[in-house]
Amino acid sequence: MNIAVKGSQERTIELDGILTSVGLSFTRLESTKNIHSNKFDLIFDLNFDDDASSLSDYALLDDSSLLILSSVKIQLESVLPKAMWSFAIGINALPSFLKRNALEYCSLLGGISNEKLDSLPWKTLYKVDSRVGMISPRVVCMIINEAYFTLQEGTANRGDIDLGMKLGTAYPHGPFEWAEMIGIKHVFEVLNALYLDTHDDRYKICSLLKTEYLNSQAK
């Protein structure tokens, strides 16, 4: 199988672990120029919802390729022309999520063949609605945001909150452990995208989380 991957080093390394575990390798793309002439079976863009600059190159593809785009912070319908809906899917490619045995994905018009989806290396595929935040990123980022409110109020410290959530709810990670694994930048940007999309107060970002995000971005 001919596979191409575009994305940050962090996410590419994570995907590499998944692909090599089932005997697959890939070509890492520095540029997507002329990508349509290479006849790739699968094309991963792991940072598409951060940088959609390759969209015009992808528009030259046809349904002989399956285009797999990170789409947690965007809704695909708002970005992709309808001509691409039959060969593009969105996935949750936030850091740490690709390593799971299950992959969360969305497709448009239901136009993706089972044969192409079956070629993906994850044991389980969960189809979800195409929407900002998908499902697991939405839930996990909300949990992290609430943990920041708890910390800001002085109710408990980070370690106690992480331990309490793991012991009390059997979460695999505490909220602050999750935030570190995903990256505060991505947590903030997912919550911000959710709020802008829904205007729902549940997604209003804790000021402490926002401050940590801004500090992480300062040069």
Side-chain angles (χ1 to χ4, degrees), residues 30-49:
E30 297 297 336
S31 170
T32 54
K33 187 177 181 180
N34 299 321
I35 192 172
H36 63 285
S37 64
N38 289 300
K39 304 301 180 185
F40 289 111
D41 300 300
L42 304 178
I43 301 167
F44 290 86
D45 189 330
L46 303 178
N47 291 87
F48 184 76
D49 50 2

Side-chain angles (χ1 to χ4, degrees), residues 97-158:
F97 285 96
L98 288 174
K99 292 185 289 189
R100 301 187 302 176
N101 289 330
L103 178 72
E104 187 174 326
Y105 81 98
C106 63
S107 63
L108 310 178
L109 295 180
I112 306 300
S113 70
N114 288 336
E115 179 182 352
K116 286 185 177 179
L117 293 175
D118 289 343
S119 67
L120 297 177
W122 288 269
K123 292 181 180 179
T124 306
L125 300 176
Y126 290 111
K127 184 177 181 182
V128 301
D129 291 339
S130 174
R131 60 186 300 193
V132 174
M134 304 182 80
I135 293 180
S136 55
R138 176 186 297 249
V139 172
V140 171
C141 289
M142 285 179 66
I143 290 169
I144 293 169
N145 197 39
E146 290 300 317
Y148 268 92
F149 277 117
T150 302
L151 178 64
Q152 182 174 267
E153 293 162 1
T155 305
N157 62 38
R158 294 171 193 257

